[in-house]
Amino acid sequence: FSGRTKARTFQRALGPGPVEDMPIRAILRQRRAPVEVLCADIDGADVTPQPIAAAWKAVETARDRLAGRRIVDLFDTDPERFERLSARAEDMLLDLSKTGLDAGALEALLNLARAAGVETLRDAMFEGRPINATEGRPVLHAALRARPGDVFAAEGVDVMPEVLETRARALDFAEAVRSGAYAAADGGRFTDVVNIGIGGSDLGPVMAVRALAPVHDGPRCHFISNVDGAHAQDVLRTLDPARTLVLIASKTFTTIETMTNADTAMRWMKAGVGEAAGGHFAAISTALDKVEAFGIDPARAFGFWDWVGGRYSVWSSIGLSLMIAIGRADFEAFLDGGRAMDAHFRTAPLDKNLPVLLAAAGVWHRNALGLGSRAVIPYDQRLERLPAYLQQLDMESNGKTARLRDGLPGETGPVVWGEPGTNGQHAFFQLLHQGTTVIPVEFLVAATGWEPELAHHHSLLLANCFAQSEALMAGRSEQEAHDMMIAEGMEAAEARRLAPHRAFSGDRPSTMLIYRKLDPYTLGRLVALYEHRVFSEGVIWGVNAYDQWGVELGKTLAKALEPMVTGEASAAEKDGSTIGLIGWMKALQSG
Ligand code: F6P
C-alpha cells in the first residue's frame, strides 16, 4: 500500500506487530481485523462490501415504482402507514409517513445502509478504531457523555479516566463560578460569562445555552465568535469587566478569529481590572501549552482530545459555558440524553433506529429524488440556533466530494438551513409551498412547553407545525382554489384568474420529530440523534464525516491577503478581481 496515512490506518486497524508480506485479504483474515471497511482506502485492497450497487438498484426500483404516487394517496392504500413509517425512542417519535417513502422503499434504503457498512462502522466508531482515516484518528465523542463503568478506548487505550477527571474538574469549576466560590478579583461574584470561540467552539454552547433557558440559573452567558470587531464591541460594551469571566474555547488555540477576539478581550479586561485580568479568564483546548503561553493559569485550563471533532465537542469542556449556565445536574442530564441516544443507535434494529431512519430519508431525498437542500424548522423558539448548529454538523461533515470508501456514488451532503417556526412561515414558507424547487422539511416540536400559563401559545405552535406539514403534503388543487373563491362570493372570471396563484401542488415531503418537552435530557438526545444521522449518511456516501479540509484553503489565503489589505504587501500577483476589489477598498478607505 502507498501513502503514509493509508499505511498508518492499516497498521492501526491491525494493531501492533509487523505486517506480514501476504495479500491484504489474507492478513485481514488471519489477524481477524474486525472492520474490513476501515482499510478500504488501501490501494488494491478489495475489502469494501460490494453489494452497494445492488442495494442502490433496489432503491431506484422502489423510486420508479412510486413515481407519480402522491404522498396522500399512500395513506389510502396503507391504513397503517403512520405506524409503519414512524419509530420511537422513549417519548421521541420520528414520523416519516409524510415523505414519499413506503415500507418497501424504506426497507431498500435500510439495506443500502447495511451494505454501506453503517452497522459495522458504527461499532468501529464506538470501539475507538481510527475511522477518521484521513487524519488517522478514532472518533469518540460518545465517550464524552459516558458514565463511570462505560468502556471507551481510543485504539486500545482507555480514555475514560481522563474523560471523567476532566469533566469533574470542569463541572467543579462551573459550580464554583455559580456559587461564587471562584470569585472575581474584587471578591464579588461573576454575573456574566463570555465564551470566545468559533465553529464547534461556539455553535454547540450557544445553541444549548439558548435551548435550555428555562433551567439557566447561573450567570448570564454571552458569545463572541466573529472576527468582525463589531461582535466583540457589541458584547463587551454591555458588560462590566469586574463582573465578567471570559472563556477562550478553541480546540487548536490557533484559530485566528478566536485568538484575535481573545487578545481584544484581554486588553479590555486589563483596562478594567488591571493586573488581576488573568484571573478572569479560563480556557478550553487540546493545546494546553498554548493556553499557558497566552497567560491563563493551567488550573483554569480544561483539555479535550484530538478524537473529538470541534463540531462534536459540546459534550466536552467546550460546554463549560453551558455547565456554568445550567449547573452540574442539568449538564449531566444533557449528557445522559446523548448517552441514551447512543444506546438506541447501537442497539435498535435499523427499522426502529431514529438516526438511521432520518439518514434513510436524507439519502432518499438527496440521491433518489435529487433534492439539493433540506430545511430544518424547529417549532421551538429556544432551538433558534439549532439550524446554524446543524449547518456546521452536517455540512462540515458531509459536504465532501472525495470518498474514503466505495459508497453511494453521486451527490453527498445537501445544503442545510432553517429558522424556527412560526417565524419561517412569514418568510420563506412561500417558496416551500409554491416554489419551483422542492425542499424537504424536517420539523421538530415539543408536545408541551415550559410555560403552563401560556399553554394557548403552545397549542397554536403545535397546530401551526402540524398544519404546515399537512399543507406541504396535501396541497390544494386549482379546482379547490377556484371553488373556495366562488364560495367566498368571488366573480367566476376572477376566481379562474386567481386559481393558479392560490393553488398548491402539495406532495412536498417532510419529516416530524416530536418529543415531550425540551429539557436537558431531550436536548442531549436531539443532538446525538443528529450526530448519528450525519454519521450514517456519511457512511452511505463513503465520505469521511470527521475531517474538514475544505475550510483550509480560505484560511491560508486570508493569511496571505491580510498584509495586502493593510497595504504592507503588494497584491499585484493576485487575480484581476482581487486586485480590483483591494483597489476600490483602498479608494473607499482614503475617501
Ligand atoms: O474552520 C473550521 C474549524 O476547524 C471547525 O471545525 C472548528 O469547530 C472551528 O474551526 C474552530 O476551531 P478551534 O476550536 O480549533 O478554534
Side-chain angles (χ1 to χ4, degrees):
F1 41 84
S2 64
R4 283 172 52 208
T5 307
K6 292 173 180 178
R8 204 170 56 235
T9 303
F10 188 42
Q11 200 100 44
R12 285 183 183 196
L14 290 179
V19 177
E20 298 85 343
D21 184 17
M22 290 166 70
I24 287 168
R25 261 181 185 290
I27 298 174
L28 291 169
R29 223 172 293 120
Q30 189 195 62
R31 304 280 285 272
R32 299 170 60 86
V35 189
E36 291 119 337
V37 281
L38 285 179
C39 307
D41 64 336
I42 300 164
D43 295 344
D46 179 22
V47 290
T48 305
Q50 289 306 307
I52 287 183
W56 175 241
K57 189 92 208 111
V59 175
E60 285 184 318
T61 304
R63 188 235 359 242
D64 297 345
R65 174 175 56 75
L66 287 162
R69 302 278 304 277
R70 289 178 64 85
I71 302 169
V72 270
D73 296 339
L74 296 173
F75 281 91
D76 296 338
T77 49
D78 181 3
E80 278 162 29
R81 178 170 170 77
F82 175 76
E83 284 71 30
R84 237 186 273 287
L85 286 161
S86 62
R88 282 198 305 273
E90 302 174 73
D91 58 280
M92 191 176 272
L93 180 140
L94 172 66
D95 176 23
L96 302 185
S97 66
K98 288 200 187 87
T99 68
L101 289 166
D102 69 358
L106 185 58
E107 184 52 31
L109 285 158
L110 298 178
N111 282 336
L112 176 70
R114 284 185 195 98
V118 166
E119 292 157 301
T120 317
L121 277 157
R122 172 197 65 195
D123 295 345
M125 174 168 73
F126 281 95
E127 284 164 17
R129 300 187 181 279
I131 64 164
N132 175 357
T134 57
E135 296 180 317
R137 292 174 186 168
V139 174
L140 275 174
H141 46 270
L144 300 169
R145 46 219 187 205
R147 287 275 190 182
D150 292 345
V151 178
F152 282 95
E155 300 179 74
V157 179
D158 184 2
V159 299
M160 285 314 294
E162 275 195 52
V163 167
L164 295 173
E165 196 256 341
T166 308
R167 185 191 302 162
R169 274 186 64 230
L171 280 168
D172 287 350
F173 179 68
E175 287 300 330
V177 172
R178 286 163 59 84
S179 68
Y182 186 77
D186 62 6
R189 273 176 196 246
F190 288 112
T191 56
D192 294 88
V193 171
V194 178
N195 184 83
I196 295 181
I198 195 164
S201 300
D202 167 70
L203 287 165
V206 69
M207 178 275 293
V209 165
R210 297 215 181 149
L212 298 179
V215 296
H216 186 158
D217 53 4
R220 291 179 289 267
C221 290
H222 313 266
F223 296 85
I224 300 175
S225 51
N226 201 326
V227 77
D228 186 344
H231 204 177
Q233 172 70 8
D234 288 354
V235 171
L236 297 179
R237 80 185 155 78
T238 64
L239 301 175
D240 174 3
R243 302 267 68 79
T244 302
L245 176 70
V246 179
L247 312 177
I248 311 297
S250 175
K251 181 174 171 182
T252 54
F253 228 69
T254 57
T255 305
I256 190 74
E257 291 93 335
T258 300
M259 299 325 296
T260 306
N261 282 320
D263 285 340
T264 298
M266 183 59 95
R267 275 199 306 280
W268 172 80
M269 189 61 78
K270 280 187 176 154
V273 304
E275 284 315 302
H280 285 224
F281 276 72
I284 308 110
S285 184
T286 56
L288 294 177
D289 50 335
K290 294 196 175 77
V291 171
E292 200 168 354
F294 181 80
I296 296 177
D297 187 335
R300 289 188 307 286
F302 303 93
F304 61 116
W305 303 272
D306 71 0
W307 41 257
V308 188
R311 54 195 175 276
Y312 299 87
S313 65
V314 62
W315 320 94
S316 72
S317 32
I318 285 288
L320 186 57
S321 51
L322 179 63
M323 297 177 200
I324 295 173
I326 66 176
R328 187 190 303 273
D330 283 322
F331 187 81
E332 284 177 348
F334 170 67
L335 299 187
D336 284 345
R339 185 168 174 268
M341 187 53 71
D342 292 339
H344 170 80
F345 180 50
R346 292 177 83 168
T347 57
L350 295 197
D351 63 344
K352 301 271 178 283
N353 196 308
L354 267 50
V356 177
L357 290 169
L358 208 46
V363 170
W364 175 255
H365 292 139
R366 186 71 182 115
N367 301 87
L369 304 185
L371 306 177
S373 107
R374 69 168 65 122
V376 181
I377 315 291
Y379 273 69
D380 202 321
Q381 181 56 30
R382 295 194 175 105
L383 288 177
E384 64 178 322
R385 294 298 280 162
L386 183 73
Y389 174 80
L390 292 181
Q391 277 177 337
Q392 189 201 13
L393 182 69
D394 203 320
M395 293 165 78
E396 198 166 83
S397 295
N398 287 338
K400 288 163 192 167
T401 304
R403 312 295 167 120
L404 196 59
R405 298 172 300 280
D406 283 349
L408 184 59
E411 302 292 350
T412 61
V415 176
V416 178
W417 60 281
E419 271 287 315
T422 58
N423 291 19
Q425 290 174 208
H426 300 271
F428 51 81
F429 269 58
Q430 165 65 40
L431 185 149
L432 295 182
H433 286 291
Q434 287 190 318
T436 50
T437 303
V438 173
I439 299 176
V441 180
E442 300 186 357
F443 292 101
L444 295 92
V445 71
T448 59
W450 280 89
E451 293 76 25
E453 69 285 8
L454 298 177
H456 59 296
H457 284 246
H458 205 78
S459 301
L460 274 169
L461 185 74
L462 281 158
N464 271 276
C465 182
F466 296 153
Q468 291 299 327
S469 72
E470 184 187 343
L472 285 166
M473 173 178 71
R476 180 204 279 157
S477 69
E478 273 190 46
Q479 187 61 49
E480 286 168 334
H482 172 271
D483 295 350
M484 179 191 79
M485 288 183 279
I486 294 291
E488 286 166 0
M490 193 179 281
E491 295 278 319
E494 186 64 352
R496 264 198 312 280
R497 187 177 76 81
L498 289 181
H501 299 274
R502 299 190 65 180
F504 293 70
S505 64
D507 209 34
R508 297 184 177 221
S510 68
T511 62
M512 179 78 66
L513 193 69
I514 179 165
Y515 39 87
R516 183 171 293 115
K517 190 173 179 177
L518 186 64
D519 55 20
Y521 180 75
T522 295
L523 183 70
R525 288 186 294 161
L526 273 180
V527 175
L529 163 66
Y530 277 99
E531 286 178 351
H532 295 322
R533 180 268 184 96
V534 165
F535 164 83
S536 302
E537 288 183 338
V539 172
I540 293 171
W541 289 320
V543 302
N544 178 11
Y546 299 107
D547 64 17
Q548 56 282 319
W549 303 105
V551 302
E552 295 299 323
L553 180 58
K555 285 186 192 174
T556 308
L557 292 179
K559 209 170 182 178
L561 267 161
E562 198 200 345
M564 299 175 202
V565 167
T566 57
E568 292 157 63
S570 159
E573 297 299 311
K574 287 285 170 185
D575 60 88
S577 167
T578 307
I579 293 170
L581 290 170
I582 291 178
W584 185 241
M585 172 208 79
K586 284 186 178 147
L588 292 174
Q589 286 175 344
S590 58

